Amino acid sequence: MDATAAPGPGTSAPGTATEADPETVADLAVVGAGPAGLYAASCAGFRGLSTVLVDALAEPGGQIAALYPEKRIYDVAGWAAVRGRELVGELVAQAAAFDPVWLLGRTATTLTPGDHGGWLIGLDDDGRDARHAGRSSRVTRIRAGAVLVTAGLGRPTPRSLPALRPFEGRGVAYHVPRLEEHRGRDVVIVGGGDSAVDWSLALAPLAASVTVVHRRQAFRAHEHSVKQMYASAVRVLTDTQVTQLHGTDRVEQVTVEDRDGRVTVLPAQAVVAALGFATSLGPLAGWGLATEDRLITVDRAMRTSLPRVYAAGDICTYEGRVPLISVGFGEAATAANHAAVALRPGSRLAPEHSTDREPTPPTGPVAPHGSVASPAAPTPEPSA
């Protein structure tokens, strides 16, 4: 039973789910639609497994889409450099070839045993992301033969300041999904890490003005980027804090105060709070998975402490792990192929050579874990 879903804003994929049967069925449920999750859906589809992707964010891409879609990424194999948005677009297209079910703006809340060794995943809307996605799915659970957790660093909660909160959604944001939205605006960026400096450099050519406000003298960002910022048209105020925002419907001005008590009022039609995110496992913490330092422990097959439950990407940990996107891709492939063997006992672990076959969407679940799911809705063009 398909849910209304779309792999990006401005697109839609019609589907149905009734109050009487609010369930979607798949061989593999991928919890987290970031880079590792998207690639896992492709790998699973290549093995003939049906897949459902669920993510609390309203669009796929994980932290890349949420935090740095315009930044260039330099640690992805095969790309000398690739913008975050472009990478996500290619990953979405790659996964879409196998027709997964997309459940975006949804939170996976519970994990309970299902039939024949499978699992039931309970879903909940936090309201915010589903509303922004322009849809409300009636699907409340997923029935899956296996589960792959690719939830990145967990549920991110942006750090804020008391002065900023009254204008959240009215000029105050915690990331910059579209640089072009700030063309001609006076932008104030609050923070001293890589995100604050990177956004300042990216926005400087477009915005009417960019001011970075940092409460310390030294920046935590990469030294080369900090030098570029000081050499650019960006105004930098250190040892300074935001004390108040002003405006009617939206923010119009920002008051800041330095260590010596000097007060400055800055024009601002946009404020970017680049103060970092606090992360947690969220509902995953109650799933009974073995963890270490808030990360899910896995073995060399990416198996967790629960049968047919796997983890890949930055949410998992094992001795010697290197936290790179490219590493997450390899882990996703390992997990998907081991899941395929678990669901099809006796099948080969190594997949066929991709050059020997064309991608074909699976027709339904292959594992005996419940009724066959309806085919997924037609997949729209990737938005990124």
Side-chain angles (χ1 to χ4, degrees):
M1 296 63 177
D2 304 331
T4 302
T11 60
S12 62
T16 59
T18 66
E19 295 289 353
D21 192 11
E23 182 176 281
T24 189
V25 184
D27 294 308
L28 180 66
V30 181
V31 180
L38 291 170
Y39 187 57
S42 172
C43 293
F46 192 81
R47 294 299 300 266
L49 303 182
S50 60
T51 307
V52 56
L53 280 155
V54 58
D55 199 296
L57 296 177
E59 60 181 303
Q63 291 186 60
I64 291 179
L67 300 181
Y68 50 96
E70 300 290 347
K71 285 180 61 176
R72 293 189 180 275
I73 302 170
Y74 298 93
D75 60 354
V76 178
W79 298 82
V82 58
R83 288 191 185 278
R85 184 184 307 285
E86 295 168 354
L87 177 61
V88 170
E90 292 298 321
L91 287 166
V92 168
Q94 190 176 31
F98 299 99
D99 211 13
V101 174
W102 304 84
L103 292 175
L104 304 177
R106 307 301 305 277
T107 300
T109 54
T110 59
L111 180 72
T112 55
D115 300 332
H116 306 289
W119 294 96
L120 287 174
I121 298 176
L123 300 176
D124 187 23
D125 271 344
D126 64 11
R128 177 188 58 188
D129 287 325
R131 182 172 64 253
H132 288 178
R135 59 188 178 276
S136 177
S137 169
R138 292 176 178 174
V139 170
T140 59
R141 63 180 176 268
I142 300 167
R143 185 181 299 273
V147 178
L148 172 54
V149 181
T150 52
L153 294 176
R155 170 173 285 186
T157 302
R159 295 188 175 94
S160 188
L161 296 172
L164 304 181
R165 294 190 185 107
F167 284 88
E168 288 178 354
R170 297 192 296 139
V172 172
Y174 295 94
H175 60 284
V176 183
R178 304 287 187 277
L179 290 174
E180 192 63 31
E181 292 178 359
H182 296 297
R183 182 177 291 276
R185 288 178 172 175
D186 297 299
V187 182
V188 173
I189 300 173
V190 186
D194 285 306
S195 293
V197 175
D198 289 343
W199 288 132
S200 74
L201 292 171
L203 288 169
L206 300 173
S209 69
V210 176
T211 303
V212 174
V213 179
H214 183 34
R215 64 190 181 95
R216 302 186 188 279
Q217 180 66 40
F219 284 84
R220 303 184 309 278
H222 192 278
E223 183 179 357
H224 177 67
S225 299
V226 174
K227 289 180 178 179
Q228 285 184 302
M229 178 181 66
Y230 274 108
S232 71
V234 174
R235 183 181 183 184
V236 181
L237 301 178
T238 57
D239 289 331
T240 301
Q241 298 194 54
V242 173
T243 58
Q244 193 172 0
L245 270 60
H246 315 273
T248 51
D249 294 334
R250 290 180 57 86
V251 64
E252 298 170 10
Q253 294 179 320
V254 176
T255 296
V256 300
E257 182 176 344
D258 68 15
R259 180 177 293 180
D260 297 324
R262 288 188 294 265
V263 174
T264 303
V265 179
L266 306 170
Q269 296 83 55
V271 177
V272 180
L275 299 167
F277 289 77
T279 60
S280 69
L281 287 175
L284 298 177
W287 285 14
L289 297 162
T291 62
E292 179 182 334
D293 294 330
R294 296 183 298 175
L295 298 174
I296 299 170
T297 56
V298 295
D299 62 13
R300 290 187 296 179
M302 311 313 297
R303 292 179 293 234
T304 71
S305 57
L306 297 179
R308 290 193 190 176
V309 179
Y310 305 81
D314 288 340
I315 195 70
C316 76
T317 185
Y318 52 84
E319 185 179 358
R321 184 179 189 275
V322 180
L324 293 173
I325 292 176
S326 53
V327 171
F329 288 153
E331 293 166 348
T334 297
N337 282 284
H338 277 278
V341 173
L343 295 173
R344 287 176 168 172
S347 61
R348 293 175 53 190
L349 176 61
E352 302 173 32
H353 294 296
S354 62
T355 53
D356 292 338
R357 57 176 288 191
E358 291 293 323
T360 54
T363 57
V366 298
H369 54 76
S371 59
V372 175
S374 302
T379 305
E381 291 296 320
S383 62

